[in-house]
Amino acid sequence: MSEDYLWDGSGEQDVEVAKLEEQLRPLRWAGAPISTNRQKSAKRTSFPYWAIAALVCLCTGAAFLYGRFASRTSWTVAVGGAKAAAVRTGQVIETSHALKATLQAESIGSVAMETDTRIHITEASRRGERFRLDHGTIHALIWAPPAKFVVDTPSAVAVDLGCQYTLSVAKDGSGFLSVESGWVAFEARGIESFIPADAACTTRRGQGPDTPRFIDAKPELIAALTLFDVEAKDEALDAVLAAARPRDGLTLWHLLKRTKGGQRDRVYSRLAQLVELPETASRAAILEGDMPAFDAAWNALQLGDTNWWREWKRRW
Amino acid sequence: MTATPDVQIAEAALVRAAQGGDRAAFGALYQRYGGVIHGVLLSRVPFADAEDLTQEVFLKAMERLPGLREIEAFPAWLFAIAQRMAVDHSRNRKLICDPAQLPSKSPGPDSQAFTVLSAIRELAEAYRDPLTLRLVEGLTGPEIAERTGLTPDSVRVNLCRGMKLLRERLEDKRR
């Protein structure tokens, strides 16, 4: 049956689609006019001005320490519910053990900084926005176009693909990223990881991003994966494969790209048991490293089509 | 952006006018995007809350619109506000997906609609939104692409794959 009816209602009617439309129509938006008689959200708590002054002094002082800062960016930084201050390129913003802060730019998104966190605003231009997270934790909600917002960490680069995520960096430069919505790509030294919602990835200084996995993966898979990422030994890989569920196809797909020879063959066997792979993702093609075959295997994971990130990948 | 140039220009003019305080222009944006935002929320929050939350998204947008510098980012910006509100809302209450939890004599949509919606919600995010926008809100594939900023190819593929998965889920539920 033609897909045209599903696409734009043209062509021969798809009976099942039409039936679903009929069943679901009562749930459709009613289009009621906006009522402006709504209570404001919880009253903002006042914040001691001395703390704001302290944060601003910290920003300004840090800026002097790191050299003159340049142009004003579209970002502002605020502490609690207090009025936001402008942020400039080159500026360093660091929160203390008692203070959190939020950076906002209407065209890009918001970045909430936890305590003990340091961010360096390295670029803010039409080309894109780039921060460096030296240490600490940020929660980012980004609505800028894909790949416009990038965060450098000591161990990898996180490229936003339209999402909400939490990124932490320890003082030794290792990092942890978990995605709440959308996608993030992590890249370093030619190693890529694509992390969808409800998945996470660690990074290690000098090594780049580890293999992503879903947050609800079995503990034995997570433990074995951590070992494999460090040592690449067969025993650890076998433990990962044994603990994998169909949903862990995400992890296995990344392992296909990070293994060779016999290890890749075993990963492929397990993936084929858990996920219905198309003919275009044949064992031979995957073992040869054929990119279209990898794309086909990815599409079989039902996490979304590769077309969506091919669009931005050219800008990588 | 995948909208035709004429649509882009007209929409940019609306956004600018709304930024300047033109309520009629904002109202036009509300009518244009209300269904999209409602559909996006519907795949994330209880049905009973989606209508109210849609209004709150637009009230928030009205408040923050003067700060939006890249006019062409309006759809993605609005979408992100909706996503954020959905997350905050879900944190504050348990998501009701099970039609059996609905009052037995609730007026409005029957339980079959909620069974289908529940099946859509079980799918990956990439499929949930296009399916909700197509099957619930009645947008066509080209309209979904235009109002979400996704490419038509991506929307088409995700609609087709999503529909295949939805058919399988509904079949499983019938057994």
Side-chain angles (χ1 to χ4, degrees):
Chain A
M1 186 171 290
S2 163
E3 293 170 344
D4 288 344
Y5 184 80
L6 177 63
W7 173 240
D8 61 7
S10 65
E12 187 188 340
Q13 189 188 66
D14 182 317
V15 172
E16 190 168 4
V17 171
K19 187 178 166 194
L20 289 171
E21 287 178 290
E22 196 57 41
Q23 281 174 336
L24 293 168
R25 188 165 291 127
L27 304 184
R28 188 175 292 187
W29 182 57
I34 294 182
S35 164
T36 51
N37 287 338
R38 286 175 178 268
Q39 282 188 330
K40 289 267 182 195
S41 51
K43 200 174 159 184
R44 284 177 172 173
T45 53
S46 63
F47 202 84
Y49 285 106
W50 63 263
I52 301 162
L55 180 61
V56 172
C57 284
L58 193 63
C59 296
T60 311
F64 276 122
L65 283 174
Y66 286 97
R68 286 194 307 175
F69 43 79
S71 54
R72 188 170 166 158
T73 69
S74 54
W75 294 93
T76 58
V77 62
V79 179
K83 190 176 171 182
V87 171
R88 295 180 180 272
T89 310
Q91 198 160 347
V92 173
I93 300 168
E94 184 162 11
T95 55
S96 68
H97 66 276
L99 282 176
K100 296 184 181 184
T102 302
L103 289 134
Q104 283 213 319
E106 285 300 341
S107 296
I108 303 143
S110 70
V111 174
M113 296 172 66
E114 290 285 351
T115 53
D116 292 315
T117 297
R118 183 166 71 211
I119 278 179
H120 187 175
I121 314 297
T122 51
E123 181 180 347
S125 66
R126 284 233 161 248
R127 276 197 314 266
E129 312 287 322
R130 203 160 187 125
F131 288 3
R132 190 180 71 225
L133 175 59
D134 291 331
H135 61 79
T137 298
I138 60 171
H139 308 282
L141 171 62
I142 304 299
W143 48 79
K148 277 279 196 181
F149 180 74
V150 175
V151 179
D152 292 297
T153 74
S155 50
V157 178
V159 181
D160 166 77
L161 303 175
C163 69
Q164 188 168 358
Y165 64 88
T166 297
L167 176 61
S168 300
V169 174
K171 299 230 165 141
D172 67 357
S174 62
F176 180 77
L177 175 102
S178 65
V179 179
E180 284 114 64
S181 173
W183 288 82
V184 170
F186 240 160
E187 190 272 344
R189 301 164 195 277
I191 303 170
E192 296 172 320
S193 290
F194 300 109
I195 304 113
D198 302 323
C201 181
T202 52
T203 66
R204 287 173 290 131
R205 191 172 207 141
Q207 302 298 323
D210 287 334
T211 314
R213 40 78 177 182
F214 279 107
I215 288 165
D216 66 354
K218 291 181 190 171
E220 51 267 41
L221 181 145
I222 297 173
L225 193 63
T226 304
L227 271 177
F228 183 76
D229 282 331
V230 171
E231 295 179 345
K233 288 193 173 161
D234 284 345
E235 295 82 11
L237 180 64
D238 289 340
V240 171
L241 300 181
R245 312 157 298 171
R247 182 165 154 83
D248 299 315
L250 168 77
T251 299
L252 299 193
W253 183 86
H254 282 87
L255 284 174
L256 280 179
K257 302 193 92 183
R258 289 154 189 256
T259 53
K260 287 185 269 198
Q263 286 190 337
R264 183 178 283 183
D265 189 57
R266 295 210 305 281
V267 174
Y268 182 89
S269 292
R270 184 58 176 146
L271 183 63
Q273 284 177 335
L274 297 173
V275 174
E276 196 180 327
L277 294 173
E279 282 177 14
T280 43
S282 69
R283 183 186 299 269
I286 293 287
L287 289 179
E288 277 177 28
D290 179 58
M291 281 314 300
F294 276 101
D295 277 2
W298 175 270
N299 292 346
L301 299 180
Q302 299 168 6
L303 292 171
D305 197 81
T306 51
N307 283 331
W308 72 270
W309 53 260
R310 285 276 169 255
E311 180 62 31
W312 67 264
K313 199 173 190 293
R314 281 193 286 275
R315 290 179 249 156
W316 190 249
Chain B
M1 279 292 275
T2 53
T4 63
D6 285 344
V7 171
Q8 281 179 309
I9 290 167
E11 185 166 292
L14 277 178
V15 174
R16 273 193 209 93
Q19 282 183 317
D22 186 333
R23 289 288 174 117
F26 192 84
L29 290 170
Y30 174 64
Q31 288 304 319
R32 182 170 167 77
Y33 284 97
V36 174
I37 296 303
H38 183 261
V40 163
L41 291 170
L42 204 55
S43 64
R44 290 163 172 80
V45 304
F47 166 72
D49 299 336
E51 192 88 24
D52 266 4
L53 214 51
T54 299
Q55 295 223 351
E56 288 189 32
V57 167
F58 281 90
L59 284 171
K60 177 70 77 180
M62 198 192 301
E63 192 182 297
R64 300 170 79 178
L65 191 55
L68 179 65
R69 293 190 189 182
E70 287 184 28
I71 304 290
E72 60 272 19
F74 178 78
W77 175 82
L78 193 65
F79 183 79
I81 294 174
Q83 274 186 309
R84 183 56 180 266
M85 280 198 157
V87 167
D88 288 346
H89 186 80
S90 295
R91 273 188 196 136
N92 293 329
R93 59 177 292 167
K94 187 179 168 191
L95 180 69
I96 299 173
C97 284
D98 182 358
Q101 294 183 36
L102 294 169
S104 57
K105 291 187 179 175
S106 61
D110 63 24
S111 66
Q112 187 58 29
F114 289 113
T115 300
V116 177
L117 183 62
S118 171
I120 293 176
R121 280 186 173 138
E122 289 169 9
L123 302 176
E125 202 173 289
Y127 305 124
R128 269 200 319 249
D129 288 337
L131 280 177
T132 315
L133 294 177
R134 174 67 184 87
L135 298 176
V136 180
E137 303 298 339
L139 273 69
T140 63
E143 285 170 338
I144 294 168
E146 188 184 286
R147 293 181 206 182
T148 61
L150 296 169
T151 64
D153 281 348
S154 286
V155 174
R156 187 160 194 140
V157 166
N158 287 335
L159 267 179
C160 291
R161 285 185 203 278
M163 191 63 219
K164 179 172 178 287
L165 292 170
L166 179 61
R167 285 189 222 261
E168 288 165 10
R169 302 251 164 166
L170 292 174
E171 190 57 45
D172 287 344
K173 284 181 192 286
R174 281 186 210 114
R175 288 199 200 113

